[in-house]
Amino acid sequence: MLNDMKPLNPCDVALLNGPNLNLLGTREPEVYGADTLKSIEAKMMAKANAAGLKLESRQTNFEGELVSLIQQMKSAGTTFLIINAAAYTHTSIAIRDAIAAVDVPFIEVHLSNIYKREQFRHHSYLSERAEAVICGFGAMGYDVALDYVIGKLRGSL
Ligand code: DQA
């Protein structure tokens, strides 16, 4: 529900997922795979914890909530963002501006290969500012992103 979003608690890494990603597992599984968002989040939490990092995860269907969550990264002390902005990737200057405002490095993740799909998915408002972009690996893309972030924050990369 709108405005019902839990604020971002202090964390090293924020994982933000945009619209319709709450439906993972049942939503076009041939495109997005069979993993649910809950299972992806659980794996990410466990991996971050094992590396001694605090990860906070939020999903929202609302653009403004994504903007607010990104803004909250400043007070949450977040040092890395992993984001799948879903359809807002292709439309949202507001999300791009919010990321620029907080100036936190981020990795853009997409489950599907957006370049193999409709033309309107080929443009991302975020990629130009992203440290890395991962697409087409399914749920594994989130894992790869977190491995990279752990390497960066733990000094092995
Ligand atoms: C997506 C790709 C977007 O084009 C789409 O709108 C999504 C999911 C992906 O993870 O593949 O909702 O970001």
Side-chain angles (χ1 to χ4, degrees):
M1 198 212 280
L2 191 56
N3 293 330
D4 207 19
M5 178 59 55
K6 252 192 351 180
L8 197 71
N9 297 321
C11 59
D12 304 297
V13 184
L15 169 64
L16 299 181
N17 280 288
N20 298 307
L21 294 171
N22 54 317
L23 300 179
L24 285 181
T26 55
R27 174 194 183 198
E28 300 179 82
E30 68 289 355
V31 177
Y32 297 114
D35 290 317
T36 63
L37 185 58
K38 268 200 175 9
S39 76
I40 292 170
E41 286 176 326
K43 270 191 228 156
M44 300 278 281
M45 297 282 191
K47 192 191 272 256
N49 278 346
L53 294 172
K54 172 109 175 64
L55 182 143
E56 280 275 309
S57 182
R58 298 284 185 280
Q59 184 277 332
T60 174
N61 292 323
F62 300 99
E63 183 177 18
E65 281 191 344
L66 272 176
V67 168
S68 293
L69 287 163
I70 291 164
Q71 290 180 3
Q72 289 164 23
M73 292 197 302
K74 263 283 186 257
S75 52
T78 310
T79 48
F80 234 110
L81 167 65
I82 298 171
I83 184 167
N84 183 349
Y88 290 138
T89 306
H90 317 298
T91 62
S92 182
I93 298 169
I95 291 172
R96 176 192 169 114
D97 284 352
I99 296 176
V102 294
D103 198 23
V104 168
F106 74 97
I107 301 183
E108 175 182 347
V109 174
H110 301 283
L111 294 131
S112 64
N113 179 357
I114 54 175
Y115 300 103
K116 210 177 147 186
R117 302 182 64 194
E118 302 95 325
Q119 188 72 33
F120 64 82
R121 295 184 204 276
H122 296 185
H123 177 259
S124 162
Y125 277 103
L126 308 183
S127 299
E128 213 182 340
R129 304 195 67 95
E131 181 142 340
V133 180
I134 297 172
C135 74
F137 285 93
M140 191 196 287
Y142 290 100
D143 254 2
V144 175
L146 187 54
D147 283 339
Y148 176 86
V149 170
I150 291 170
K152 277 285 183 185
L153 297 184
R154 287 282 167 255
S156 63
L157 280 180

